Amino acid sequence: VDPVAIDGVDEATRSQVVADLTAAAEALRAQPVEIRLDMLEEGEQRSATVRVDRERGLLEGVLESPTSRGSVITMRHVIVDDRLFLKSTASVEAEAALDFTELPIDPLGPRLLDEVFTAYGRLTPSLDRILLLLENLPFAAQVTDLEGGLEISVVMSPIAIYNYYGSEGIEPVGGSVPEVPTQLAFRIEDGVLVGIVAAGIHFHDGEPLAVEATVAYTQIEPFQLAIPPIDE
């Protein structure tokens, strides 16, 4: 018995929600985007700013995580020319002194190009995965008409997600799942996804996490990136 079982919407509503979100996500990813993230992951603060052009395989992201000692762990990712670079530092001095390290582009690069849209993968590994869950699992929904757009709020059972992942072999899962609903609210303006607000339990690499996140998307002009200084 699923103690967080959801009395799902009817199939007509499901189809409409999935269609609206699919079109909005496709419109978002068709252009260069700036992403701003504020998140609590298991009570730990995270923030990020990312520029990404998924069509051209360009990405420049900064993910910051304050520590209990007052420092900030800063992770910088760059994808350019089918190459992936990382710099992770814990101080201003290290940030200035260290160069980037090159990592294998496959499969890390393509994965990162998707994960930045979903809070670095904390809200599932991609927007497409969210759509897959909405296509296949029960969810409650509230659709609110806004001037020039929509807000679609959905609630799902994390135990249903866990069981679906396990039965379909989508992600390895194990252990227990907190009995806290999975919540997502999508904001669509002029047919484009412009934000997600998330709460409750979400899965990252099969692990259930308590997450609160606000993700804001802004379509931007095309940009160029250069290969960063590399640690030799």
Side-chain angles (χ1 to χ4, degrees):
V1 177
D2 181 352
V4 202
I6 299 296
D7 186 11
V9 297
D10 58 52
E11 286 305 311
T13 302
R14 180 201 296 273
S15 296
Q16 189 61 57
V17 165
V18 170
D20 287 342
L21 288 175
T22 298
E26 288 177 352
L28 170 67
R29 294 178 297 191
Q31 301 292 328
V33 177
E34 180 181 82
I35 303 171
R36 292 191 176 272
L37 165 68
D38 287 297
M39 174 171 60
L40 281 175
E41 177 191 341
E42 295 290 314
E44 299 292 331
Q45 185 70 44
R46 310 274 190 269
S47 62
T49 301
V50 182
R51 289 192 300 166
V52 57
D53 187 332
R54 190 167 173 268
E55 295 293 309
R56 294 167 60 218
L58 295 176
L59 182 144
E60 181 180 46
V62 182
L63 176 64
E64 295 184 326
S65 306
T67 71
S68 58
R69 297 183 178 183
S71 61
V72 177
I73 297 173
T74 301
M75 295 185 66
R76 297 183 180 274
H77 294 93
V78 173
I79 299 177
V80 61
D81 292 345
D82 292 324
R83 298 170 68 182
L84 169 62
F85 306 92
L86 167 69
K87 178 160 67 169
S88 181
T89 56
S91 69
V92 174
E93 293 77 14
E95 171 76 16
L98 295 177
D99 289 333
F100 282 76
T101 298
E102 185 166 4
L103 302 177
I105 186 68
D106 188 20
L108 300 177
R111 177 172 174 169
L112 187 61
L113 286 166
D114 279 329
E115 286 186 342
V116 291
F117 286 91
T118 52
Y120 277 80
R122 271 52 175 185
L123 311 179
T124 77
S126 68
L127 294 174
D128 290 334
R129 175 65 61 80
I130 293 175
L131 292 168
L132 179 69
L133 296 178
L134 294 176
E135 287 172 346
N136 288 281
L137 297 179
F139 64 87
Q142 179 176 343
V143 180
T144 305
D145 287 320
L146 305 171
E147 185 174 352
L150 292 172
E151 183 172 275
I152 302 173
S153 300
V154 302
V155 180
M156 310 177 74
S157 163
I159 296 172
I161 297 172
Y162 176 97
N163 291 336
Y164 178 66
Y165 279 172
S167 65
E168 297 296 319
I170 294 173
E171 290 187 10
V173 289
S176 60
V177 181
E179 296 176 7
V180 178
T182 299
Q183 302 177 54
L184 292 160
F186 307 91
R187 182 73 175 257
I188 299 171
E189 293 181 2
D190 298 322
V192 180
L193 183 64
V194 298
I196 299 176
V197 177
I201 298 300
H202 298 264
F203 289 84
H204 179 242
D205 290 338
E207 180 184 1
L209 301 173
V211 174
E212 296 179 21
T214 300
V215 190
Y217 309 107
T218 304
Q219 291 186 314
I220 59 176
E221 293 298 315
F223 60 91
Q224 303 293 329
L225 292 177
I227 291 173
I230 306 170
D231 221 359
E232 298 294 346

